Amino acid sequence: MGAILTQEQFEREVGFRLSLSVMNRLMQENLLSQKEYGQIERILARKFSPVWAGLPDIIKDKSA
């Protein structure tokens, strides 16, 4: 059984995944450390509240 997303949920999911893609590229270019990646990932997870990439543990983490 597949999940159906609203337009808003879809846009949040895309925004989150696109942001992670950019961050991965920055890491490949050594412009972003693993620690920085983790901090930004938590911020983005809270901002976008992605559905499928939800990362509930990251969203709850207040250390970012």
Side-chain angles (χ1 to χ4, degrees):
M1 181 175 190
I4 298 175
L5 297 178
T6 65
Q7 184 66 33
E8 179 187 356
Q9 290 170 323
F10 176 77
E11 289 172 8
R12 289 193 330 245
E13 193 72 29
V14 168
F16 181 71
R17 290 176 184 264
L18 179 61
S19 297
L20 291 182
S21 177
V22 170
M23 289 186 355
N24 280 321
R25 180 58 189 236
L26 291 172
M27 278 186 44
Q28 289 173 357
E29 299 291 329
N30 294 315
L31 298 172
L32 191 66
S33 71
Q34 184 67 39
K35 181 179 179 181
E36 291 167 325
Y37 182 98
Q39 292 170 336
I40 297 168
E41 182 181 40
R42 287 187 290 277
I43 292 167
L44 292 172
R46 286 194 301 270
K47 176 181 177 174
F48 288 108
S49 299
V51 175
W52 291 331
L55 307 170
D57 294 332
I58 290 173
I59 293 170
K60 291 178 188 174
D61 186 345
K62 303 294 186 210
S63 67

